[in-house]
Amino acid sequence: MNPARPITCILVANRGEIARRVMRTCRELAIDSVAVFSDADEHAPFVREADRSVRLPGTASIDTYLRSDLLIAAALQAGADAIHPGYGFLSENAAFAQQVLDAGLVWIGPPPGAIAAMGSKIAAKKLMREHGVPVVPDNTVETLEQIGLPALVKASAGGGGRGMRIVRDAAALDDAVAGAQREAASAFGDSTVFVERYLEGARHVEIQVLADTHSNVIALHERDCTLQRRHQKVLEEAPSPALDAHLRLRMEAAAVAAAAAVSYVGAGTVEFLLDAAGGFWFLEMNTRLQVEHPVTELVTGVDLVALQVSIAEGHAIPAELLVAVPLRGHAIEVRLCAEDPYCGYLPSSGTFHEVDFGSVPGVRVDNAIESGSEVPPYYDSMIAKLIAHGSTRAEAARRLVKALSGATLHGPVTNRELLIDLLSRWTELDAPGAGIDTGWLDRHDLGTTPAPNAVTIAAAALAVAASRRGRFPTGWRNNASQLHRQPLLRGSAEPVEQVVEYRFDRADVLQQLVVDGTPIEVDTAVRDAVANTAVTVHGGEVFASHGRFTFTVPPMFVSPDDAGRAGSTVAPMPGKIVRLLVSAGDSVVAGQALLFIEAMKMEHQVVAPHAGVIAEVFVQTGQQLDGGQPLLKVDPS
Amino acid sequence: MPVLPDRIDEHSDAYRENRASLTAQLAAHDEQLTKVNLGGGEKYVARHRARGKLLIRERIEALVDPDSPFLELSPLAAYGSTFPVGAGSVTGIGVVEGVECLISGSDPTMRGGASNPFTLKKGLRAAEIARENRLPVIGLTESGGADLPTQSEIFIPGGASFRNITNASAAGIPQVSIVFGNSTAGGAYVPGMSDYVVMIKERSKVFLGGPPLVKMATGEDSDDESLGGAEMHARISGLADYFALDELDAIRLGRQVVKRLNQRKRGPGPRGPGRPPKYDPDQLLGIPSADPKVPFDPRDVIARVVDDSDFDEFKPLYGTSLVTGFAELHGYPIGILANHHGVLFSEESEKAAQFIQLANQIDTPLVFLQNTTGYMVGKEFEQRGIIKDGSKMINAVSNSRVPHLTINMAASYGAGNYGMCGRAFGPRFLFAWPNAKSAVMGPAQLAGVMSIVARESAASMGKPFDEEADAGLRQLVEDQIERESLAMFMTGKVYDDGIIDPRDTRTVLGICLSVIDNQPIEGTRGYGVFRM
C-alpha cells in the first residue's frame, strides 16, 4: 500500500478531445496541466487550454506523441509530477509506464506489470483462461486450422480496430497478416499479431472496472459498443439492451476477476463478445481510459478521470461506490469523425471554418476542434464525441439527433449524416432480441450520401451569387436574355454536379429559379425557404444547413491542360506513399493495385483507372502527398 | 443632410395614370427586346446550335464575371428601318476578370451576322465609348461580311472600324479579338488589327480570299483550313496568338488575356460605398406625366436615384424652372441639372452656365435630366436676350470637360436639347426613358408653323387657301413628327445608347459613373467667350 502523494501538475501525453477532457478535470481539481503538441497541433485548442505546453518537433506520431523520451523530458521540464496518457499512443505501453515511474513521476494508469500482462493478448488470454474467465479460441498465426474460419488477425499490442483483419479464406491469411503487422508496427511500435476465431453475430459488451491500491476492485457496469465499422466503434451506450440484471452481474464478476488476476490499479475496461445465446467471451482488457468512458460517467454520475487521479495519489475508491454503483437512465455516445461513410469511409482533412455544437439539454460534447481548427491528416479522424443522457434510450437518441442536426460544422466531410440516420431509428434498428451485431454496419448498405432538396441546392448557389455581390444588383441586365447559371459540386469522391439557374430583379429579389433543369415556381414561400436555409460561403466551399450539405464551386472553365490529365491517377487524400508497386513501362490491367497510401493510420489502395502502360510515375515511396496530387499516368492500351 | 421629401402618393389618380401609361410603353419596348433576343428566328437559331455553337448573348454571358452587371448598348438599333431590330450585333459593357470592357459581337443567326448601315453605326458608337472611357475591347467575331445590297453605305465609312481598332491600340486601349467563325475578306482585318487574337480549332476562318476567289485569281487549288484555319494561323501565319479547342475554351483564353492586361482605373474612384435612396425607385414609373404637357418635379426623380436621397440644391430660389445641385450616386460625386417646368428662360440658362462652370472647377461629372420644351420665345424674352443667355448655357455645355451623362426623362425639344447636353454635345452616355420624345419642336407646333407659313404664302400670291387640305396636311405632318420624336424611333437611329426602364436609372448611371472613372476626371478651366 502506497502512501497518499498529492499530484499538483499533470502532463497529458495525448492530443485532441481526450487531452481537453483530462485538462477539464485538472481544472476542477485545481491541478495544473501541461500539454505536449506536435507541429501539426500547434494551434489546437488543447494546447491553449493547458497551463503550460511543450512542443514535440515534427508531425508524425512516431516522431512526437510516441516519443517516450521527449514526453518524460517535457514533464520534468514543465514541472509536472504525473503523466496522464489518455488513450491510444503510449497509454498501453508498459515500458513507457515504467520509464515514467523511473523518472520519479506518477503514472496515472495501471502498474506496468498489469499493462504487460494484458498487453500481450496471447498471454492475457492464457491467464484469463486460468482464472476462469471465458475466452475465445485463439492461437498464433501458424495454427489457423485449429481455430477455424472466419478468423480475426489482431495486433497483440493493439486496440481500436487498428491492425485488425478478418480472414474468411485461408489463402488471404498471408496478406492479412502482413497488413496487420504493418499497421500494428506503425500504430503501436510492435508488429506482433495473433489470430483468433471470429465470432459472427456477436455483440460487443464491455465492463468498466476501477481498482485502487487498497485491493478494491469494482465494476461500473457495462457499455454496449456493438455498432462498429471495420472494428472501430461508432456508437456506444449504457445500459446494454442485451443485458438483464443477472447477466450484468455475471459479466461484472468476470471483469472484476480479470482485473484482479493482473493486480490491476486504476480505470480499465474488460471487453467481451456476447453471443446470441447469452454466452460471453473475454476479448481483451484495455488498460487505460476508453474513448467511450463518458457513457459510464453519465449513467453512474462519476468522473472517471478524477477517480484515476485520486487512485494514482494513493486514495481508495470512495466508499459509496464500493457499496453500490448507480445506474441511472440511458446514455449514448457517437463518434463524429472526419470521414465520408458514403465513400468507403474516406478520411477527410482540412480546416473547420466554423464549429458550434450549440447547447442541447442532456448532451455533452467532448470535442477536439473549434472554429478555425485544422484537422491534420496524421492522426485519428475522430473530431468530437457527442454523448446524450436521457431517462430512456429513445430520449437519449432523440437528443443526439437534435444536437447533431443543429451543430454547425463548416469544414471537411464528416460521418454526421450517417449518425443522424442511424440514431433516428436506433431503437428499431437495435431492438432488444432482434438487434445488430458487430458486423452489422459493414454488411449494411449505407446507400448514397443523403441528397439535399432543391431549395437547399438553390440556397447554396444563391449564396455564392450573393457573395459576389458588388455595387450593383446581382447579375443586373437591361436586356435579360437568359438566366444566370451557377453549377455546384456535391460529394467528396465522385462529385455530382448540380446546376442552379436564377434571375434576380433590380431590387435583388429572386424572380426565377431552375434547379437541375426543373423550374421552380418562385413565390413568397420559396423565397422564405431559401432565405431560411443557413448557408455560408468560404472561398470555394459552400456549407448549407449548418454544414450538413457541403458544395464546392467548380472553376468557371476547365483548362484543357487539366482535363488532358485523363489517365492520371491522383492521390485520393493527403497521406504518405508506403508502397509503390509499379514503375514506368509496366503493363497494368484495370483495377490493378498501383500503390498504397497511408493516411489516418489506414492503408488506401490506388488502382489503375483502366488497362494500359504506366507512362510516368510522379512520386516515390515515402513521399508525403497532398490530396489531388498526381501520382502516375496510365496510357490506355 | 438635406434629404428630399417623399411626396409621392401611390393612390392618387395622377400616379396611377402615369404608371399605367409608362408601363404600357415599357411593355412595347420589352416586346422588341424579346424579339431581338430571339436572333434571326427559330430556324436559324436551331441551325446555329446544331453546329455546336453558342448564341451571341450566351457567349457574352459566359465571358463576363458571374453575377456582374452587363449594360447592353443600342439593343434596338435599326428599329423602324428595313433591317432587323438590333442590327445583327450586340454591344455592351461587361466586367471580365474585374475589368470593365466594351464587348461587341455579331449575331450570326441574323442574316449571317452581316453588317448593315445600322450595324456600322452601332459599332462605331461602341468604339467611341471604348475610346472615351479607355475600355478594353473584346470583339466576338463571326460575320458574313457586309450586307451587299447596302454596301455603298458601309464600305467607305466602314473603314473607320479598322482604323478605330489600331488607333485605340495606339492610345493604349487593349483590343482583344476572339474569332468564333468567319472573319474573311475585310473582316480579316479585325483580328489583323487587334492586339490579342484567339482562334478556335476548326471554327475560325480568317482569310482575304476563300478557295473560289483564289482559284479565280491565281488558279491555285486550296481549302478553308489551309487558307485561314485556326491551326494554320496559330502554327504557321502567326495571326492567332491563342489556339482554343472550342468556344468555351476561347472564352476562357479571352478572360485569361484580360486578366493580364494590368488595367487600372485612372479616375478618382467613388467616395464611399454608396447608400440606396430612401424611397422606392419603383415609384419612378408613376412620376413622368402621362400627358406630356403636364410638368413634373425632377426632385421626385432625384430622390429615387441618388444616394440616401441626399441632394444639395444650388440656387434653389433662382431660375426655378431648372433644378441644379450636388449629390452622390453609388458613392460617385455628381452635379445634376434637371428641367422642371420644361421651358428654359434667361435665369435658368445663366444658372446652368454657372453650375456647369462650378462642376468643372471641382472636377465633378454632370448628369442632365432632360424634360425640356426649349428656350422661351416671345418679344419680351428675345429683347431680354434669351439668345445670349441660351448661348452661355450651350457654350458652357460644349466646352465643359467633365464627363456628362444624359437621361431624357420625357421631352427634349429644340435648342433645349442642345443646352441639356443632347447627343451632339457629346455626353459620355445618353439614355432615354420609354416615354421620351425628341424633336426640333412639338409636333402640333411644327405642323401649325407649317400651316401658318403656307397660309401666308397663299395670301402673298393671292391664292385661295384650301382649309380642308391644310387640316389634312397638318394632321399628316403632326403624325409624322410625333412618330419620329418617339423614343423607339430615336433609339432605332442610334441617337441614344438605349432606352432604359426608369427604375434602372440609378443602376445605369452608377455603371456609367464607374465606366467614366476609367479616365481621369478633369474639368476645363477655360470657355469660349461668353456673350454678356
Side-chain angles (χ1 to χ4, degrees):
Chain A
M1 196 182 295
N2 298 334
R5 171 181 165 184
I7 291 171
T8 59
C9 177
I10 297 174
L11 179 135
V12 185
N14 216 300
R15 61 182 298 279
E17 67 86 18
I18 192 60
R20 298 181 85 182
R21 161 70 191 92
V22 173
M23 288 171 193
R24 178 167 63 81
T25 289
C26 287
R27 278 195 299 279
E28 279 168 16
L29 298 177
I31 292 173
D32 283 357
S33 56
V34 179
V36 287
F37 62 96
S38 75
D39 291 341
D41 283 334
E42 190 183 343
H43 304 291
F46 77 87
V47 180
R48 205 178 46 240
E49 286 169 14
D51 294 298
R52 291 189 277 287
S53 61
V54 179
R55 174 179 171 234
L56 303 173
T59 51
S61 304
I62 196 84
D63 300 326
T64 53
Y65 300 107
L66 290 173
R67 283 285 296 273
S68 50
D69 54 338
L70 296 183
L71 294 168
I72 290 167
L76 295 173
Q77 177 205 322
D81 46 18
I83 290 184
H84 192 298
Y87 53 71
F89 294 126
L90 293 173
S91 61
E92 294 181 278
N93 187 309
F96 178 58
Q98 189 58 55
Q99 287 163 24
V100 170
L101 296 173
D102 292 347
L105 299 166
V106 175
W107 169 250
I108 303 178
I115 300 176
M118 286 299 186
S120 163
K121 303 280 187 278
I122 304 162
K125 288 192 168 180
K126 189 162 168 281
L127 186 67
M128 290 302 109
R129 210 175 270 124
E130 287 163 12
H131 281 80
V133 181
V135 173
V136 184
D138 69 338
N139 220 314
T140 50
V141 298
E142 287 77 22
T143 54
L144 183 65
E145 56 280 2
Q146 293 171 16
I147 297 162
L149 290 168
L152 196 57
V153 182
K154 292 173 85 171
S156 185
R162 287 182 193 162
M164 267 200 226
R165 296 281 194 284
I166 296 179
V167 179
R168 295 180 187 282
D169 173 1
L173 182 68
D174 288 350
D175 270 355
V177 167
Q181 282 172 335
R182 259 193 318 279
E183 261 180 51
S186 158
F188 315 110
D190 175 359
S191 66
T192 311
V193 298
F194 68 100
V195 183
E196 69 179 21
R197 177 68 183 274
Y198 180 49
L199 284 180
E200 282 185 291
R203 297 184 71 94
H204 176 116
V205 178
E206 61 191 27
I207 306 290
Q208 175 71 50
V209 296
L210 201 60
D212 62 21
T213 49
H214 305 269
S215 303
N216 298 308
V217 185
I218 62 167
L220 289 89
H221 312 306
E222 80 282 10
R223 291 184 293 260
D224 190 316
C225 316
T226 303
L227 189 73
Q228 303 184 0
R229 64 105 175 152
R230 300 179 189 174
H231 312 292
Q232 291 199 34
K233 295 163 187 167
V234 173
L235 179 152
E236 302 101 343
E237 62 184 323
S240 166
L243 260 58
D244 56 21
H246 180 65
L247 184 52
R248 178 171 299 120
L249 282 176
R250 284 174 54 218
M251 291 181 74
E252 287 180 3
V256 167
V262 293
S263 306
Y264 200 79
V265 175
T269 298
V270 184
E271 296 188 336
F272 296 100
L273 284 177
L274 177 66
D275 66 29
F280 59 92
W281 311 85
F282 174 84
L283 207 50
E284 62 185 38
M285 180 171 185
N286 292 319
T287 54
R288 54 169 159 86
L289 194 66
Q290 297 273 89
V291 173
E292 58 273 25
H293 75 273
V295 168
T296 298
E297 293 187 325
L298 291 191
V299 290
T300 61
V302 306
D303 178 339
L304 282 171
V305 174
L307 287 170
Q308 281 187 302
V309 172
S310 165
I311 288 167
E313 286 178 327
H315 298 293
I317 295 168
E320 67 270 22
L321 288 180
L322 295 177
V323 175
V325 177
L327 181 57
R328 283 188 298 251
H330 197 103
I332 305 179
E333 172 185 280
V334 286
R335 300 185 183 194
L336 191 66
C337 297
E339 64 185 18
D340 187 352
Y342 301 100
C343 188
Y345 295 97
L346 193 70
S348 56
S349 59
T351 302
F352 277 92
H353 305 287
E354 211 177 323
V355 176
D356 183 4
F357 287 98
S359 165
V360 175
V363 175
R364 161 177 163 184
V365 181
D366 285 13
N367 66 329
I369 57 165
E370 61 186 1
S371 296
S373 284
E374 199 147 324
V375 176
Y378 314 104
Y379 317 111
D380 195 84
S381 64
M382 192 178 80
I383 50 173
K385 305 182 305 205
L386 282 83
I387 317 101
H389 189 240
S391 54
T392 63
R393 193 184 190 203
E395 186 179 74
R398 262 201 321 274
R399 285 178 163 169
L400 273 184
V401 169
K402 176 133 178 75
L404 285 165
S405 323
T408 299
L409 289 168
H410 293 169
V413 64
T414 69
N415 61 341
R416 159 160 65 172
E417 292 309 308
L418 175 65
L419 296 177
I420 291 173
D421 174 37
L422 295 172
L423 282 167
S424 54
R425 50 201 177 101
W426 183 232
T427 50
E428 295 103 78
L429 278 178
D430 191 36
I436 61 168
D437 62 56
T438 54
W440 178 83
L441 192 55
D442 292 329
R443 295 192 306 271
H444 177 71
D445 179 13
L446 301 183
T448 51
T449 310
N453 61 23
V455 163
T456 306
I457 299 167
L462 297 178
V464 174
S467 73
R468 288 192 285 244
R469 198 178 186 286
R471 244 166 223 287
F472 304 112
T474 305
W476 178 88
R477 299 287 181 267
N478 56 331
N479 177 17
S481 60
Q482 56 205 285
L483 300 180
H484 297 274
R485 186 176 181 278
Q486 178 60 60
L488 292 174
L489 302 177
R490 185 175 57 80
S492 50
E494 282 170 18
V496 183
E497 190 186 55
Q498 308 206 277
V499 179
V500 178
E501 294 163 280
Y502 56 91
R503 186 177 69 79
F504 288 94
D505 68 9
R506 57 178 60 82
D508 261 318
V509 177
L510 183 66
Q511 293 299 335
Q512 275 174 283
L513 184 62
V514 177
V515 178
D516 287 328
T518 306
I520 291 169
E521 182 88 32
V522 178
D523 53 16
T524 314
V526 168
R527 287 191 194 107
D528 286 351
V530 168
N532 292 333
T533 305
V535 183
T536 305
V537 181
H538 266 287
E541 289 175 299
V542 190
F543 302 101
S545 308
H546 313 294
R548 291 185 64 180
F549 303 106
T550 300
F551 304 86
T552 52
V553 182
M556 274 178 78
F557 299 96
V558 179
S559 156
D561 303 340
D562 301 335
R565 287 201 193 131
S568 313
T569 55
V570 295
M573 76 208 84
K576 195 172 92 176
I577 297 196
V578 287
R579 271 177 304 156
L580 189 56
L581 307 175
V582 292
S583 48
D586 289 359
S587 290
V588 293
V589 297
Q592 182 178 331
L594 303 176
L595 52 82
F596 284 85
I597 296 172
E598 186 192 77
M600 298 283 191
K601 299 288 151 243
M602 306 276 276
E603 282 188 16
H604 300 271
Q605 193 175 231
V606 173
V607 302
H610 46 68
V613 176
I614 305 292
E616 231 181 315
V617 180
F618 308 115
V619 291
Q620 55 199 29
T621 307
Q623 187 173 337
Q624 189 71 36
L625 302 166
D626 293 324
Q629 185 173 337
L631 301 170
L632 34 74
K633 192 169 188 309
V634 187
D635 280 350
S637 54
Chain B
M1 190 171 77
V3 172
L4 290 167
D6 181 15
R7 302 180 314 173
I8 299 291
D9 175 7
E10 292 195 10
H11 304 289
S12 72
D13 290 343
Y15 178 89
R16 284 191 218 182
E17 264 170 54
N18 296 346
R19 193 175 174 98
S21 166
L22 197 45
T23 304
Q25 284 162 320
L26 264 180
H29 173 250
D30 290 348
E31 195 182 314
Q32 291 300 317
L33 284 182
T34 306
K35 213 160 101 182
V36 167
N37 291 342
L38 291 176
E42 219 170 288
K43 179 180 151 195
Y44 294 100
V45 168
R47 193 167 74 183
H48 187 75
R49 285 197 196 283
R51 292 173 179 157
K53 293 179 165 199
L54 297 171
L55 300 178
I56 178 60
R57 285 181 177 77
E58 292 171 344
R59 289 171 180 165
I60 292 173
E61 292 289 349
L63 176 66
V64 298
D65 292 352
D67 301 307
S68 64
F70 182 74
L71 176 61
E72 188 169 333
L73 300 164
S74 323
L76 299 189
Y79 174 85
S81 77
T82 54
F83 297 102
V85 181
S89 70
V90 179
T91 61
I93 295 167
V95 183
V96 177
E97 292 286 359
V99 176
E100 281 156 345
C101 295
L102 193 294
I103 300 167
S104 115
S106 37
D107 182 350
T109 69
M110 274 193 181
R111 304 190 188 172
S115 292
N116 60 50
F118 288 93
T119 323
L120 180 61
K121 227 174 155 184
K122 183 169 169 174
L124 292 177
R125 171 60 187 153
E128 183 177 41
I129 289 171
R131 190 186 68 240
E132 286 183 339
N133 300 291
R134 291 193 64 82
L135 299 181
V137 174
I138 307 174
L140 312 178
T141 308
E142 177 167 27
S143 167
D147 176 68
L148 291 177
T150 50
Q151 65 85 23
S152 68
E153 290 178 59
I154 304 166
F155 173 56
I156 301 298
S161 319
F162 308 106
R163 181 169 173 262
N164 283 341
I165 297 176
T166 188
N167 282 351
S169 173
I173 304 174
Q175 307 287 306
V176 182
S177 177
I178 306 176
V179 187
F180 284 85
N182 282 344
S183 186
T184 59
Y189 287 99
V190 173
M193 308 305 297
S194 293
D195 300 338
Y196 300 87
V197 176
V198 181
M199 290 199 200
I200 305 170
K201 185 182 177 182
E202 289 160 15
R203 289 290 166 86
S204 307
K205 208 192 286 180
V206 184
F207 41 62
L208 293 183
L213 181 67
V214 169
K215 179 76 179 166
M216 291 311 293
T218 67
E220 184 190 10
D221 286 314
S222 55
D223 58 60
D224 285 352
E225 272 300 301
S226 67
L227 286 175
E231 189 109 25
M232 187 286 282
H233 282 306
R235 294 183 194 282
I236 303 172
S237 80
L239 178 60
D241 305 310
Y242 300 91
F243 179 73
L245 295 178
D246 55 29
E247 292 204 3
L248 286 178
D249 194 31
I251 290 166
R252 177 184 70 83
L253 288 165
R255 287 179 57 84
Q256 179 185 305
V257 168
V258 174
K259 187 179 166 185
R260 299 293 184 189
L261 290 179
N262 194 21
Q263 193 72 10
R264 293 177 304 259
K265 287 195 169 189
R266 298 188 181 181
R271 296 170 62 92
R275 290 217 294 263
K278 292 204 180 303
Y279 314 117
D280 190 353
D282 188 66
Q283 294 176 330
L284 285 168
L285 285 190
I287 295 175
S289 312
D291 178 355
K293 288 198 282 294
V294 178
F296 58 89
D297 192 331
R299 293 177 191 88
D300 293 337
V301 173
I302 295 167
R304 281 155 187 80
V305 171
V306 303
D307 289 359
D308 262 333
S309 306
D310 177 8
F311 182 59
D312 289 350
E313 197 164 340
F314 173 75
K315 261 183 159 57
L317 306 177
Y318 184 85
T320 54
S321 186
L322 181 78
V323 174
T324 55
F326 296 103
E328 286 186 7
L329 198 155
H330 276 293
Y332 294 96
I334 52 169
I336 298 174
L337 296 93
N339 302 110
H340 188 181
H341 296 295
V343 69
L344 293 161
F345 299 91
S346 291
E347 290 83 351
E348 280 74 13
S349 304
E350 289 179 333
K351 178 177 173 179
Q354 185 190 356
F355 188 71
I356 292 166
Q357 290 181 71
L358 293 176
N360 273 270
Q361 203 172 37
I362 58 174
D363 302 330
T364 299
L366 288 170
V367 173
F368 294 81
L369 300 177
Q370 296 180 332
N371 183 17
T372 177
T373 52
Y375 291 96
M376 193 62 195
V377 296
K379 195 167 28 179
E380 183 197 340
F381 302 102
E382 298 285 8
Q383 290 179 357
R384 279 176 50 194
I386 184 73
I387 297 175
K388 291 198 301 178
D389 295 332
S391 296
K392 286 173 198 160
M393 180 171 172
I394 295 171
N395 177 348
V397 168
S398 304
N399 289 301
S400 163
R401 287 287 167 270
V402 293
H404 297 173
L405 303 173
T406 302
I407 303 282
N408 185 349
M409 301 188 295
S412 187
Y413 287 108
N417 172 268
Y418 303 162
M420 289 297 288
C421 202
R423 182 63 137 188
F425 290 78
R428 291 286 180 87
F429 291 95
L430 190 157
F431 293 96
W433 289 0
N435 53 308
K437 291 174 185 175
S438 307
V440 66
M441 63 181 83
Q445 289 81 353
L446 192 142
V449 167
M450 283 178 70
S451 166
I452 291 166
V453 171
R455 193 185 298 269
E456 282 171 357
S457 161
S460 74
M461 287 189 284
K463 286 184 183 169
F465 188 67
D466 185 343
E467 291 288 350
E468 202 175 316
D470 178 65
L473 191 66
R474 269 177 80 153
Q475 192 56 49
L476 213 66
V477 169
E478 202 177 319
D479 289 350
Q480 184 207 332
I481 300 306
E482 170 70 15
R483 194 170 62 246
E484 293 181 353
S485 69
L486 294 179
M488 297 268 264
F489 180 86
M490 299 304 286
T491 207
K493 287 215 172 293
V494 199
Y495 285 151
D496 58 32
D497 296 314
I499 294 171
I500 59 166
D501 188 316
R503 294 169 293 185
D504 285 330
T505 304
R506 175 178 166 81
T507 300
V508 170
L509 287 175
I511 292 171
C512 293
L513 287 165
S514 177
V515 166
I516 64 178
D517 195 45
N518 281 281
Q519 287 279 41
I521 292 172
E522 213 171 291
T524 185
R525 303 293 186 256
Y527 291 88
V529 172
F530 284 103
R531 184 175 290 280
M532 295 301 175

